[in-house]
Amino acid sequence: DTAFKIFSTSLLKALPYGMLMTLIGQLGNIFDLASGRPPRRFPPRDWISWLLFALSMIVSLSLWAALFMRQRAIAQGAPVSMRAELATVLHRLPALLLLTILNVLAVGVGFVLLVVPGVYLLIALWMTVPALLLENQAPLDAMKLSLRLIRGNWWRTLAVLLVTIVIVFVFYALSGVFALIVVQFARGADIAVVTATFAVFVISLGAVSTPFLVAITLAIFSDLQSRRALVARRPIREL
């Protein structure tokens, strides 16, 4: 309920970040379309592809962080400023990049050694970004804080995230069906027109689903902090 309140309250002001993130994620495909080349496949096979991939990841991560700050500010009734948000993100970008690398390595090693630790860490480290941005934690401290918050709440957090994924999947599926209907009416149109139509749908969906995912994460983070504070204040019973 808290997540939906954050999402509905902040959606309009969060849309620019959501659209930019989705657009940046399509940077490689846009370049291919503009140059008349076939779409690239992952992993990239030339230096231009790698450069565009790295650039899109860094910019998307920065916008993702700025979106966290904007939606938290709106939820708290504080004023928002894109200049201030991006300035803060730029200042924290090295730490954010390091945190991302550490998270990927930790989850990757967990999956390589045994699948179960990887799945556990994927959820247990979900709160590292808000811990770093909103609590001004260093990368390792953000990871430790996320692990402490998730401890004892792992299954609950997993359930909420799974419900979120299902909602986003259904939304994408319904929108995809609508896009296919539109394409059917556009039979005989140039391939570029069809590709551009799908690109518009992808950007529109990303602009809405990304703030929704951030709202869910903010709600979970706040809830976990409240639960931890409640446990810390709970008196120790005498044996």
Side-chain angles (χ1 to χ4, degrees):
D1 183 61
T2 302
F4 276 103
K5 288 181 179 178
I6 296 174
F7 174 67
S8 60
T9 304
S10 62
L11 178 58
L12 291 179
K13 293 184 178 180
L15 281 177
Y17 283 130
M19 292 182 66
L20 284 174
M21 279 189 64
T22 310
L23 188 61
I24 292 298
Q26 298 293 318
L27 190 59
N29 291 333
I30 293 173
F31 177 80
D32 291 334
L33 183 63
S35 59
R37 302 167 62 179
R40 292 182 177 87
R41 296 180 180 179
F42 190 84
R45 299 180 180 180
D46 54 78
W47 71 270
I48 297 180
S49 300
W50 278 111
L51 179 62
L52 291 174
F53 175 75
L55 180 62
S56 64
M57 289 297 100
I58 294 174
V59 176
S60 295
L61 185 61
S62 301
L63 294 172
W64 172 263
L67 185 56
F68 263 100
M69 300 180 64
R70 168 156 295 194
Q71 289 189 260
R72 198 275 293 266
I74 294 174
Q76 294 180 340
V80 296
S81 169
M82 179 174 286
R83 178 179 297 180
E85 291 157 359
L86 294 179
T88 302
V89 169
L90 184 61
H91 176 70
R92 299 290 288 163
L93 185 57
L96 189 60
L97 290 174
L98 178 59
L99 175 66
T100 303
I101 294 172
L102 292 175
N103 281 344
V104 171
L105 289 176
V107 174
V109 170
F111 274 106
V112 170
L113 296 179
L114 193 63
V115 175
V116 174
V119 174
Y120 177 83
L121 288 175
L122 183 63
I123 303 301
L125 295 176
W126 192 269
M127 297 297 126
T128 53
V129 173
L132 183 139
L133 293 172
L134 309 182
E135 298 297 324
N136 201 29
Q137 298 284 320
L140 288 177
D141 293 332
M143 296 176 73
K144 293 177 183 178
L145 177 58
S146 181
L147 291 171
R148 288 197 299 267
L149 292 175
I150 295 294
R151 188 181 300 128
N153 296 285
W154 189 89
W155 285 106
R156 184 175 181 277
T157 304
L158 174 64
V160 174
L161 292 177
L162 285 178
V163 171
T164 303
I165 292 173
V166 170
I167 293 174
V168 173
F169 176 79
V170 171
F171 184 65
Y172 266 85
L174 293 176
S175 301
V177 170
F178 180 72
L180 288 175
I181 293 175
V182 172
V183 171
Q184 290 297 321
F185 281 105
R187 282 183 176 179
D190 186 79
I191 185 65
V193 175
V194 176
T195 303
T197 302
F198 270 103
V200 170
F201 275 103
V202 169
I203 294 173
S204 301
L205 292 173
V208 175
S209 61
T210 303
F212 179 65
L213 182 58
V214 171
I216 291 288
T217 304
L218 285 172
I220 296 175
F221 185 69
S222 177
D223 177 69
L224 291 176
Q225 285 183 309
S226 300
R227 289 172 181 271
R228 180 171 176 79
L230 183 62
V231 171
R233 291 195 302 265
R234 185 178 300 168
I236 301 176
R237 297 180 179 178
E238 294 183 1
L239 296 177

